mmCIF file of all heavy atoms in Angstrom:
data_model
loop_
_atom_site.group_PDB
_atom_site.id
_atom_site.type_symbol
_atom_site.label_atom_id
_atom_site.label_comp_id
_atom_site.label_asym_id
_atom_site.label_seq_id
_atom_site.Cartn_x
_atom_site.Cartn_y
_atom_site.Cartn_z
ATOM 1 N N ARG T 670 -36.501 14.555 2.079
ATOM 2 C CA ARG T 670 -35.274 15.368 2.029
ATOM 3 C C ARG T 670 -34.112 14.565 1.442
ATOM 4 O O ARG T 670 -33.325 15.080 0.630
ATOM 5 C CB ARG T 670 -34.918 15.864 3.427
ATOM 6 C CG ARG T 670 -35.825 16.958 3.963
ATOM 7 C CD ARG T 670 -35.221 17.625 5.177
ATOM 8 N NE ARG T 670 -35.010 16.687 6.266
ATOM 9 C CZ ARG T 670 -35.914 16.420 7.206
ATOM 10 N NH1 ARG T 670 -37.085 17.024 7.171
ATOM 11 N NH2 ARG T 670 -35.650 15.561 8.178
ATOM 12 N N GLU T 671 -33.996 13.303 1.849
ATOM 13 C CA GLU T 671 -32.919 12.455 1.323
ATOM 14 C C GLU T 671 -33.069 12.264 -0.179
ATOM 15 O O GLU T 671 -32.071 12.289 -0.914
ATOM 16 C CB GLU T 671 -32.932 11.105 2.039
ATOM 17 C CG GLU T 671 -32.472 11.168 3.486
ATOM 18 C CD GLU T 671 -32.606 9.835 4.190
ATOM 19 O OE1 GLU T 671 -33.111 8.875 3.552
ATOM 20 O OE2 GLU T 671 -32.199 9.739 5.367
ATOM 21 N N ALA T 672 -34.308 12.050 -0.636
ATOM 22 C CA ALA T 672 -34.540 11.885 -2.075
ATOM 23 C C ALA T 672 -34.202 13.161 -2.829
ATOM 24 O O ALA T 672 -33.602 13.119 -3.917
ATOM 25 C CB ALA T 672 -35.995 11.481 -2.323
ATOM 26 N N ALA T 673 -34.578 14.306 -2.253
ATOM 27 C CA ALA T 673 -34.270 15.583 -2.892
ATOM 28 C C ALA T 673 -32.757 15.820 -2.927
ATOM 29 O O ALA T 673 -32.220 16.299 -3.935
ATOM 30 C CB ALA T 673 -34.956 16.724 -2.144
ATOM 31 N N ASP T 674 -32.068 15.468 -1.842
ATOM 32 C CA ASP T 674 -30.610 15.615 -1.794
ATOM 33 C C ASP T 674 -29.949 14.716 -2.836
ATOM 34 O O ASP T 674 -28.973 15.121 -3.482
ATOM 35 C CB ASP T 674 -30.083 15.264 -0.399
ATOM 36 C CG ASP T 674 -30.454 16.308 0.644
ATOM 37 O OD1 ASP T 674 -30.836 17.430 0.245
ATOM 38 O OD2 ASP T 674 -30.363 16.002 1.843
ATOM 39 N N LEU T 675 -30.473 13.498 -2.987
ATOM 40 C CA LEU T 675 -29.919 12.567 -3.969
ATOM 41 C C LEU T 675 -30.103 13.109 -5.382
ATOM 42 O O LEU T 675 -29.175 13.056 -6.199
ATOM 43 C CB LEU T 675 -30.586 11.201 -3.831
ATOM 44 C CG LEU T 675 -30.127 10.122 -4.819
ATOM 45 C CD1 LEU T 675 -28.626 9.867 -4.678
ATOM 46 C CD2 LEU T 675 -30.913 8.832 -4.605
ATOM 47 N N ARG T 676 -31.296 13.642 -5.674
ATOM 48 C CA ARG T 676 -31.531 14.220 -7.005
ATOM 49 C C ARG T 676 -30.606 15.400 -7.259
ATOM 50 O O ARG T 676 -30.094 15.574 -8.377
ATOM 51 C CB ARG T 676 -32.995 14.651 -7.133
ATOM 52 C CG ARG T 676 -33.987 13.507 -7.216
ATOM 53 C CD ARG T 676 -35.352 14.001 -7.657
ATOM 54 N NE ARG T 676 -35.933 14.914 -6.700
ATOM 55 C CZ ARG T 676 -36.706 14.544 -5.683
ATOM 56 N NH1 ARG T 676 -36.979 13.273 -5.500
ATOM 57 N NH2 ARG T 676 -37.223 15.449 -4.863
ATOM 58 N N GLU T 677 -30.373 16.208 -6.224
ATOM 59 C CA GLU T 677 -29.484 17.359 -6.366
ATOM 60 C C GLU T 677 -28.055 16.915 -6.649
ATOM 61 O O GLU T 677 -27.373 17.476 -7.513
ATOM 62 C CB GLU T 677 -29.529 18.215 -5.100
ATOM 63 C CG GLU T 677 -28.621 19.430 -5.120
ATOM 64 C CD GLU T 677 -28.987 20.446 -6.190
ATOM 65 O OE1 GLU T 677 -30.156 20.457 -6.622
ATOM 66 O OE2 GLU T 677 -28.092 21.206 -6.599
ATOM 67 N N ARG T 678 -27.595 15.875 -5.935
ATOM 68 C CA ARG T 678 -26.234 15.363 -6.172
ATOM 69 C C ARG T 678 -26.104 14.771 -7.571
ATOM 70 O O ARG T 678 -25.088 14.955 -8.244
ATOM 71 C CB ARG T 678 -25.873 14.321 -5.114
ATOM 72 C CG ARG T 678 -25.632 14.902 -3.727
ATOM 73 C CD ARG T 678 -24.947 13.901 -2.827
ATOM 74 N NE ARG T 678 -25.775 12.736 -2.570
ATOM 75 C CZ ARG T 678 -26.644 12.637 -1.572
ATOM 76 N NH1 ARG T 678 -26.813 13.661 -0.745
ATOM 77 N NH2 ARG T 678 -27.339 11.539 -1.393
ATOM 78 N N GLU T 679 -27.141 14.050 -7.997
ATOM 79 C CA GLU T 679 -27.116 13.473 -9.342
ATOM 80 C C GLU T 679 -27.057 14.574 -10.393
ATOM 81 O O GLU T 679 -26.334 14.448 -11.393
ATOM 82 C CB GLU T 679 -28.351 12.603 -9.564
ATOM 83 C CG GLU T 679 -28.332 11.303 -8.778
ATOM 84 C CD GLU T 679 -29.611 10.507 -8.961
ATOM 85 O OE1 GLU T 679 -30.606 11.080 -9.467
ATOM 86 O OE2 GLU T 679 -29.619 9.311 -8.601
ATOM 87 N N LEU T 680 -27.813 15.654 -10.181
ATOM 88 C CA LEU T 680 -27.800 16.773 -11.115
ATOM 89 C C LEU T 680 -26.417 17.417 -11.162
ATOM 90 O O LEU T 680 -25.902 17.736 -12.254
ATOM 91 C CB LEU T 680 -28.849 17.804 -10.705
ATOM 92 C CG LEU T 680 -28.921 19.070 -11.565
ATOM 93 C CD1 LEU T 680 -29.237 18.712 -13.013
ATOM 94 C CD2 LEU T 680 -29.955 20.043 -11.013
ATOM 95 N N GLN T 681 -25.802 17.589 -10.004
ATOM 96 C CA GLN T 681 -24.467 18.181 -9.956
ATOM 97 C C GLN T 681 -23.452 17.320 -10.692
ATOM 98 O O GLN T 681 -22.597 17.832 -11.422
ATOM 99 C CB GLN T 681 -24.042 18.368 -8.492
ATOM 100 C CG GLN T 681 -24.833 19.435 -7.744
ATOM 101 C CD GLN T 681 -24.498 19.483 -6.270
ATOM 102 O OE1 GLN T 681 -23.785 18.630 -5.745
ATOM 103 N NE2 GLN T 681 -25.035 20.478 -5.577
ATOM 104 N N ILE T 682 -23.568 15.999 -10.524
ATOM 105 C CA ILE T 682 -22.646 15.082 -11.209
ATOM 106 C C ILE T 682 -22.851 15.151 -12.718
ATOM 107 O O ILE T 682 -21.892 15.164 -13.499
ATOM 108 C CB ILE T 682 -22.847 13.644 -10.696
ATOM 109 C CG1 ILE T 682 -22.371 13.542 -9.239
ATOM 110 C CG2 ILE T 682 -22.079 12.650 -11.569
ATOM 111 C CD1 ILE T 682 -22.700 12.219 -8.581
ATOM 112 N N ARG T 683 -24.117 15.210 -13.139
ATOM 113 C CA ARG T 683 -24.407 15.281 -14.576
ATOM 114 C C ARG T 683 -23.883 16.593 -15.182
ATOM 115 O O ARG T 683 -23.319 16.592 -16.286
ATOM 116 C CB ARG T 683 -25.908 15.159 -14.817
ATOM 117 C CG ARG T 683 -26.438 13.755 -14.628
ATOM 118 C CD ARG T 683 -27.914 13.664 -14.947
ATOM 119 N NE ARG T 683 -28.413 12.305 -14.799
ATOM 120 C CZ ARG T 683 -28.361 11.380 -15.743
ATOM 121 N NH1 ARG T 683 -27.820 11.672 -16.918
ATOM 122 N NH2 ARG T 683 -28.836 10.168 -15.535
ATOM 123 N N VAL T 684 -24.071 17.691 -14.466
ATOM 124 C CA VAL T 684 -23.573 18.976 -14.953
ATOM 125 C C VAL T 684 -22.056 18.933 -15.075
ATOM 126 O O VAL T 684 -21.472 19.397 -16.066
ATOM 127 C CB VAL T 684 -24.004 20.125 -14.012
ATOM 128 C CG1 VAL T 684 -23.290 21.420 -14.373
ATOM 129 C CG2 VAL T 684 -25.517 20.316 -14.091
ATOM 130 N N LEU T 685 -21.408 18.349 -14.060
ATOM 131 C CA LEU T 685 -19.949 18.229 -14.100
ATOM 132 C C LEU T 685 -19.503 17.362 -15.275
ATOM 133 O O LEU T 685 -18.579 17.728 -16.019
ATOM 134 C CB LEU T 685 -19.448 17.627 -12.779
ATOM 135 C CG LEU T 685 -17.944 17.379 -12.675
ATOM 136 C CD1 LEU T 685 -17.179 18.693 -12.758
ATOM 137 C CD2 LEU T 685 -17.615 16.665 -11.369
ATOM 138 N N ALA T 686 -20.171 16.215 -15.460
ATOM 139 C CA ALA T 686 -19.791 15.302 -16.544
ATOM 140 C C ALA T 686 -20.051 15.918 -17.912
ATOM 141 O O ALA T 686 -19.272 15.738 -18.851
ATOM 142 C CB ALA T 686 -20.565 13.993 -16.410
ATOM 143 N N ASP T 687 -21.160 16.680 -18.042
ATOM 144 C CA ASP T 687 -21.483 17.304 -19.321
ATOM 145 C C ASP T 687 -20.447 18.351 -19.719
ATOM 146 O O ASP T 687 -20.283 18.655 -20.909
ATOM 147 C CB ASP T 687 -22.867 17.950 -19.265
ATOM 148 C CG ASP T 687 -23.984 16.945 -19.500
ATOM 149 O OD1 ASP T 687 -23.698 15.880 -20.082
ATOM 150 O OD2 ASP T 687 -25.128 17.215 -19.092
ATOM 151 N N ASN T 688 -19.773 18.916 -18.726
ATOM 152 C CA ASN T 688 -18.799 19.960 -19.010
ATOM 153 C C ASN T 688 -17.364 19.448 -19.098
ATOM 154 O O ASN T 688 -16.429 20.245 -19.216
ATOM 155 C CB ASN T 688 -18.887 21.053 -17.937
ATOM 156 C CG ASN T 688 -20.131 21.920 -18.118
ATOM 157 O OD1 ASN T 688 -20.155 22.833 -18.938
ATOM 158 N ND2 ASN T 688 -21.178 21.605 -17.375
ATOM 159 N N LEU T 689 -17.206 18.123 -19.026
ATOM 160 C CA LEU T 689 -15.870 17.559 -19.221
ATOM 161 C C LEU T 689 -15.445 17.761 -20.680
ATOM 162 O O LEU T 689 -16.257 17.632 -21.594
ATOM 163 C CB LEU T 689 -15.878 16.056 -18.913
ATOM 164 C CG LEU T 689 -15.989 15.645 -17.448
ATOM 165 C CD1 LEU T 689 -16.152 14.126 -17.347
ATOM 166 C CD2 LEU T 689 -14.757 16.102 -16.661
ATOM 167 N N PRO T 690 -14.183 18.044 -20.923
ATOM 168 C CA PRO T 690 -13.719 18.190 -22.313
ATOM 169 C C PRO T 690 -13.636 16.842 -23.030
ATOM 170 O O PRO T 690 -13.581 16.777 -24.247
ATOM 171 C CB PRO T 690 -12.337 18.835 -22.165
ATOM 172 C CG PRO T 690 -11.879 18.435 -20.802
ATOM 173 C CD PRO T 690 -13.113 18.374 -19.955
ATOM 174 N N GLN T 691 -13.592 15.745 -22.261
ATOM 175 C CA GLN T 691 -13.499 14.414 -22.849
ATOM 176 C C GLN T 691 -14.885 13.848 -23.143
ATOM 177 O O GLN T 691 -15.881 14.299 -22.589
ATOM 178 C CB GLN T 691 -12.767 13.442 -21.902
ATOM 179 C CG GLN T 691 -11.328 13.807 -21.625
ATOM 180 C CD GLN T 691 -11.200 14.795 -20.478
ATOM 181 O OE1 GLN T 691 -12.191 15.112 -19.825
ATOM 182 N NE2 GLN T 691 -9.999 15.286 -20.253
ATOM 183 N N LEU T 692 -14.924 12.851 -24.037
ATOM 184 C CA LEU T 692 -16.157 12.120 -24.285
ATOM 185 C C LEU T 692 -16.379 11.169 -23.111
ATOM 186 O O LEU T 692 -15.461 10.476 -22.685
ATOM 187 C CB LEU T 692 -16.065 11.313 -25.579
ATOM 188 C CG LEU T 692 -15.695 12.092 -26.857
ATOM 189 C CD1 LEU T 692 -15.734 11.153 -28.059
ATOM 190 C CD2 LEU T 692 -16.638 13.265 -27.064
ATOM 191 N N ALA T 693 -17.592 11.125 -22.577
ATOM 192 C CA ALA T 693 -17.881 10.258 -21.432
ATOM 193 C C ALA T 693 -19.224 9.578 -21.649
ATOM 194 O O ALA T 693 -20.142 10.160 -22.223
ATOM 195 C CB ALA T 693 -17.897 11.073 -20.134
ATOM 196 N N TRP T 694 -19.313 8.324 -21.220
ATOM 197 C CA TRP T 694 -20.564 7.586 -21.320
ATOM 198 C C TRP T 694 -20.606 6.508 -20.241
ATOM 199 O O TRP T 694 -19.599 6.173 -19.630
ATOM 200 C CB TRP T 694 -20.727 6.966 -22.709
ATOM 201 C CG TRP T 694 -19.668 5.963 -23.064
ATOM 202 C CD1 TRP T 694 -19.687 4.621 -22.875
ATOM 203 C CD2 TRP T 694 -18.417 6.253 -23.689
ATOM 204 N NE1 TRP T 694 -18.542 4.040 -23.320
ATOM 205 C CE2 TRP T 694 -17.733 5.030 -23.837
ATOM 206 C CE3 TRP T 694 -17.805 7.433 -24.141
ATOM 207 C CZ2 TRP T 694 -16.469 4.939 -24.410
ATOM 208 C CZ3 TRP T 694 -16.553 7.349 -24.710
ATOM 209 C CH2 TRP T 694 -15.898 6.117 -24.838
ATOM 210 N N MET T 695 -21.798 5.972 -20.027
ATOM 211 C CA MET T 695 -21.989 4.898 -19.063
ATOM 212 C C MET T 695 -22.805 3.797 -19.715
ATOM 213 O O MET T 695 -23.665 4.064 -20.561
ATOM 214 C CB MET T 695 -22.722 5.398 -17.803
ATOM 215 C CG MET T 695 -21.895 6.323 -16.931
ATOM 216 S SD MET T 695 -22.688 6.664 -15.320
ATOM 217 C CE MET T 695 -24.205 7.480 -15.854
ATOM 218 N N THR T 696 -22.515 2.555 -19.322
ATOM 219 C CA THR T 696 -23.258 1.409 -19.847
ATOM 220 C C THR T 696 -23.828 0.595 -18.690
ATOM 221 O O THR T 696 -23.392 0.725 -17.545
ATOM 222 C CB THR T 696 -22.345 0.498 -20.694
ATOM 223 O OG1 THR T 696 -21.292 -0.004 -19.858
ATOM 224 C CG2 THR T 696 -21.746 1.263 -21.860
ATOM 225 N N ASP T 697 -24.812 -0.267 -19.009
ATOM 226 C CA ASP T 697 -25.367 -1.142 -17.982
ATOM 227 C C ASP T 697 -24.573 -2.440 -17.931
ATOM 228 O O ASP T 697 -23.514 -2.554 -18.562
ATOM 229 C CB ASP T 697 -26.854 -1.395 -18.242
ATOM 230 C CG ASP T 697 -27.099 -2.078 -19.587
ATOM 231 O OD1 ASP T 697 -26.153 -2.645 -20.176
ATOM 232 O OD2 ASP T 697 -28.265 -2.058 -20.046
ATOM 233 N N ALA T 698 -25.080 -3.423 -17.185
ATOM 234 C CA ALA T 698 -24.351 -4.682 -17.002
ATOM 235 C C ALA T 698 -24.206 -5.459 -18.310
ATOM 236 O O ALA T 698 -23.311 -6.300 -18.444
ATOM 237 C CB ALA T 698 -25.063 -5.548 -15.965
ATOM 238 N N GLN T 699 -25.062 -5.175 -19.280
ATOM 239 C CA GLN T 699 -24.982 -5.844 -20.588
ATOM 240 C C GLN T 699 -24.212 -5.003 -21.612
ATOM 241 O O GLN T 699 -24.299 -5.255 -22.816
ATOM 242 C CB GLN T 699 -26.392 -6.127 -21.119
ATOM 243 C CG GLN T 699 -27.112 -7.286 -20.420
ATOM 244 C CD GLN T 699 -27.536 -6.923 -19.014
ATOM 245 O OE1 GLN T 699 -28.062 -5.822 -18.798
ATOM 246 N NE2 GLN T 699 -27.303 -7.813 -18.059
ATOM 247 N N ALA T 700 -23.485 -4.013 -21.124
ATOM 248 C CA ALA T 700 -22.663 -3.144 -21.971
ATOM 249 C C ALA T 700 -23.504 -2.307 -22.929
ATOM 250 O O ALA T 700 -23.025 -1.864 -23.970
ATOM 251 C CB ALA T 700 -21.619 -3.960 -22.749
ATOM 252 N N ARG T 701 -24.745 -2.084 -22.581
ATOM 253 C CA ARG T 701 -25.596 -1.218 -23.389
ATOM 254 C C ARG T 701 -25.488 0.208 -22.868
ATOM 255 O O ARG T 701 -25.564 0.433 -21.648
ATOM 256 C CB ARG T 701 -27.046 -1.696 -23.322
ATOM 257 C CG ARG T 701 -27.276 -3.055 -23.974
ATOM 258 C CD ARG T 701 -28.689 -3.525 -23.770
ATOM 259 N NE ARG T 701 -29.000 -3.676 -22.359
ATOM 260 C CZ ARG T 701 -29.995 -4.436 -21.884
ATOM 261 N NH1 ARG T 701 -30.770 -5.092 -22.730
ATOM 262 N NH2 ARG T 701 -30.215 -4.518 -20.593
ATOM 263 N N PRO T 702 -25.328 1.189 -23.741
ATOM 264 C CA PRO T 702 -25.171 2.570 -23.280
ATOM 265 C C PRO T 702 -26.450 3.088 -22.628
ATOM 266 O O PRO T 702 -27.546 2.870 -23.141
ATOM 267 C CB PRO T 702 -24.836 3.343 -24.559
ATOM 268 C CG PRO T 702 -25.412 2.523 -25.657
ATOM 269 C CD PRO T 702 -25.275 1.096 -25.217
ATOM 270 N N VAL T 703 -26.287 3.746 -21.494
ATOM 271 C CA VAL T 703 -27.440 4.321 -20.796
ATOM 272 C C VAL T 703 -27.297 5.828 -20.618
ATOM 273 O O VAL T 703 -28.260 6.505 -20.245
ATOM 274 C CB VAL T 703 -27.633 3.654 -19.416
ATOM 275 C CG1 VAL T 703 -27.984 2.177 -19.581
ATOM 276 C CG2 VAL T 703 -26.386 3.813 -18.544
ATOM 277 N N TRP T 704 -26.094 6.346 -20.883
ATOM 278 C CA TRP T 704 -25.888 7.790 -20.719
ATOM 279 C C TRP T 704 -24.639 8.225 -21.473
ATOM 280 O O TRP T 704 -23.641 7.508 -21.526
ATOM 281 C CB TRP T 704 -25.738 8.146 -19.241
ATOM 282 C CG TRP T 704 -25.398 9.598 -18.999
ATOM 283 C CD1 TRP T 704 -26.264 10.628 -18.931
ATOM 284 C CD2 TRP T 704 -24.093 10.139 -18.813
ATOM 285 N NE1 TRP T 704 -25.594 11.812 -18.718
ATOM 286 C CE2 TRP T 704 -24.255 11.531 -18.632
ATOM 287 C CE3 TRP T 704 -22.804 9.598 -18.784
ATOM 288 C CZ2 TRP T 704 -23.175 12.380 -18.423
ATOM 289 C CZ3 TRP T 704 -21.729 10.431 -18.576
ATOM 290 C CH2 TRP T 704 -21.918 11.822 -18.400
#
C-alpha cells in the first residue's frame, strides 16, 4: 500500500509539473538531466 501510495503521489507531482506554464527540469548530483 505504501509503495502504491508513493507511485500515486509521484504521478500527481508529474502531472502537476507537466502542466506548469514554465519550463521545468531536474538533474542528478552530476548535473545531468534526468527529467
Side-chain angles (χ1 to χ4, degrees):
R670 287 194 299 270
E671 289 175 357
D674 289 344
L675 179 60
R676 289 193 296 270
E677 179 64 23
R678 289 195 296 271
E679 289 177 346
L680 178 60
Q681 291 174 352
I682 291 172
R683 286 183 178 274
V684 170
L685 178 63
D687 278 339
N688 286 279
L689 287 173
Q691 297 86 6
L692 305 184
W694 62 92
M695 290 190 298
T696 61
D697 61 17
Q699 286 72 44
R701 294 175 299 201
V703 295
W704 175 84

